[in-house]
Amino acid sequence: MTEPNDTVPESHTAPESNATTGPEGTDAPLHRRGIKSYVIRAGRMTQAQNRGLEDIWPRFGLTITDGRQDLDALFGRKAPRVVEIGFGMGNSLVEQAETHPDTDFIGIEVHAPGVGKLLDEVDKRGLTNLRVYREDALAVLEQCLPEGSLTTLQLFFPDPWPKKKHHKRRIVQPAFVELIRTRLMPGGTFHMATDWEAYAEWMAEVMEAAPGYANTASAETAPYVPRPAFRPLTKFEARGEKLGHGVWDLIYQRCD
């Protein structure tokens, strides 16, 4: 992941992400535990990405300091609400927002070029149903999104942290999925996808042990579901399919 270009005026850019993740069993806020599920690396910004952070951010960007959101007021309507954690360069999320204008989307990403690119595309396509945080996802869930407010939470291709000593950095942990459950409305869904089979198995293990969730997979494919048509096929995923790489989707429903 990438830090913002120093030439972007501070007053106009998305905020630096300064929170950390560490969903372990303590009473402290999840994002203050000192274990990050992501790494921010230095890099360069394109002109379009800078434009997104400078010019478009004031219209569509959100911060932790905005506090708890009234989502009906934020979007000016009542609608299904989808949150995506870690949208990367934003191609999939923008496509979803454009394809489903009757649904409101919130993206969360710490990667500055990805946020800038997404905002540039939002403006170019004239979208009004998408907002973005450049913050730690756990902090946003805890402090900004109301309980029972989300139709769907999406987590597509998170860092698998494949080495065993790094498994504690994986974002999918018991405390994390419980936090998500509280933000989903009854019947809402938590949709994960990964191209690492071992991480898919980890996700399934965590979710099967989590209270208040039901797996939506059929008996024939459980614990996984076929890739839903509403999840756009990324270029990375398409290349992987040609090379014979697998992708595993898991969808769990909140069931109180």
Side-chain angles (χ1 to χ4, degrees), residues 64-144:
I64 295 292
T65 57
D66 295 329
R68 187 79 66 194
Q69 294 287 346
D70 179 336
L71 298 184
D72 289 350
L74 178 65
F75 289 99
R77 64 178 181 176
K78 291 183 180 294
R81 303 273 156 69
V82 176
V83 167
E84 181 166 334
I85 293 175
F87 56 75
M89 298 307 289
N91 297 326
S92 171
L93 187 56
V94 166
E95 183 177 336
Q96 290 179 75
E98 188 171 45
T99 304
H100 303 283
D102 295 331
T103 299
D104 295 329
F105 293 84
I106 296 175
I108 307 173
E109 175 60 67
V110 296
H111 181 58
V115 173
K117 183 176 185 297
L118 176 137
L119 290 171
D120 183 60
E121 285 295 322
V122 165
D123 181 61
K124 287 178 178 177
R125 301 188 191 202
L127 303 180
T128 60
N129 61 330
L130 197 158
R131 301 291 185 275
V132 61
Y133 282 96
R134 187 177 168 228
E135 305 274 6
D136 181 272
L138 296 181
V140 173
L141 290 170
E142 288 180 328
Q143 300 179 41
C144 303

Side-chain angles (χ1 to χ4, degrees), residues 3-75:
E3 293 178 346
N5 188 305
D6 291 339
T7 63
V8 180
E10 183 178 350
S11 60
H12 294 292
T13 61
E16 291 287 349
S17 177
N18 55 14
T20 58
T21 63
E24 299 173 359
T26 74
D27 293 330
L30 296 177
H31 61 284
R32 295 177 184 171
R33 304 234 175 80
I35 300 176
K36 291 186 178 182
S37 63
Y38 56 85
V39 174
I40 301 178
R41 300 182 179 89
R44 294 189 177 187
M45 300 281 291
T46 67
Q47 183 176 355
Q49 290 163 358
N50 274 327
R51 174 180 176 270
L53 289 178
E54 291 179 8
D55 300 337
I56 315 306
W57 173 266
R59 285 190 282 145
F60 298 104
L62 302 170
T63 69
I64 295 292
T65 57
D66 295 329
R68 187 79 66 194
Q69 294 287 346
D70 179 336
L71 298 184
D72 289 350
L74 178 65
F75 289 99

Side-chain angles (χ1 to χ4, degrees), residues 11 38 43 45 58 62 101 103 145 156-157 163 168 176-177 187-189:
S11 60
Y38 56 85
M45 300 281 291
L62 302 170
T103 299
L145 300 180
F156 297 156
F157 306 101
K163 294 182 179 180
K168 62 187 177 181
F176 172 70
V177 303
T189 55

